[in-house]
Amino acid sequence: TVSGSYTEHWEGRVTPMRDVLFTPIRSDAAGQTYFLKGYYPRGTVGVSDKNLVDFTISGQEDIMVSSEVNPGTLSNKNPDAIAIFTHLLSQFRFTVYNNPAAPYPVEKIRTLKLVATNPADPLQEQVRLNLQTGILTFSGTGTGMTAYDSGMGSGIPILIGTQEDVAVVMFQPGKKVSLQIEYSDHITPFTLPIDNITPEAGASYE
């Protein structure tokens, strides 16, 4: 009932256009006004402070938060009660390209993993969202984010030409990262620094 302070957590539905239309809810006898804010995915809500939500990410989850809206009441609907979500993590999409002049048709990619370029400042997997500010804080051991792992499979074949969107990974923004690539016929992963950018929240890179 107070803007910027959230005391209850409900499940909602998102339209195909990625807008969220909040259904009007009734006022109580005192005529209270309700303020709503959406977030994704489902997380662990704080016990003493319900404005805090905790997540654990593996590289395949996005975290989003919406603007605050006031849906109005059944007798006084707010037609502008549409929340637009903001992406809070960074994203990499991977394309595999093999130069036809030097093909390696036997070799395959077994794993793709993002790690922080600075080992002392790793990519972390424990995330806390503050609903009041929309800010994420990170903690954890920081072993990196897996974009692709063939497991017991054969891996991604390195074919002549281009293979687009072979893997996607989402991760902590604001840190220089490197890509670790493990090939099928190599024991030690190959590390490729990505030094030309510092990933930003909500941005996607290829």
Side-chain angles (χ1 to χ4, degrees):
T1 59
V2 178
S3 175
S5 181
Y6 310 101
T7 57
E8 298 181 21
H9 290 250
W10 305 335
E11 291 190 3
R13 294 184 179 181
V14 181
T15 71
M17 296 301 294
R18 299 183 183 179
D19 295 339
V20 177
L21 178 62
F22 288 114
T23 302
I25 55 180
R26 67 174 181 83
S27 295
D28 63 11
Q32 290 181 319
T33 299
Y34 294 87
F35 297 91
L36 305 178
K37 177 174 279 193
Y39 63 89
Y40 175 87
R42 180 187 299 176
T44 302
V45 180
V47 176
S48 59
D49 187 348
K50 295 186 181 300
N51 294 297
L52 302 177
V53 186
D54 292 332
F55 309 91
T56 300
I57 59 174
S58 67
Q60 301 306 304
E61 308 86 356
D62 195 3
I63 297 178
M64 298 185 288
V65 68
S66 79
S67 55
E68 180 184 83
V69 296
N70 172 12
T73 66
L74 291 175
S75 60
N76 186 21
K77 299 178 181 179
N78 178 7
D80 298 322
I82 296 178
I84 307 299
F85 277 84
T86 299
H87 296 270
L88 300 179
L89 299 180
S90 299
Q91 181 189 80
F92 266 121
R93 307 182 70 90
F94 294 96
T95 294
V96 176
Y97 174 75
N98 183 21
N99 186 345
Y104 300 94
V106 176
E107 207 165 35
K108 296 180 180 180
I109 296 175
R110 294 182 59 188
T111 63
L112 291 170
K113 185 176 184 179
L114 274 188
V115 297
T117 302
N118 179 7
D121 189 21
L123 294 177
Q124 296 171 303
E125 74 284 354
Q126 301 299 324
V127 190
R128 171 165 288 177
L129 169 63
N130 186 318
L131 290 173
Q132 293 178 310
T133 63
I135 294 175
L136 298 180
T137 54
F138 293 82
S139 61
T141 56
T143 58
M145 295 289 126
T146 299
Y148 173 80
D149 189 340
S150 65
M152 299 300 293
S154 59
I156 304 171
I158 302 178
L159 306 174
I160 296 175
T162 301
Q163 302 173 78
E164 297 183 353
D165 291 340
V166 296
V168 177
V169 64
M170 286 158 279
F171 58 98
Q172 179 181 2
K175 296 183 178 182
K176 295 283 189 181
V177 294
S178 296
L179 176 63
Q180 288 185 350
I181 308 173
E182 182 183 0
Y183 295 104
S184 58
D185 57 353
H186 287 69
I187 298 176
T188 303
F190 173 75
T191 300
L192 175 66
I194 307 174
D195 294 329
N196 59 327
I197 59 171
T198 299
E200 298 180 359
S204 181
Y205 305 89
E206 295 185 2

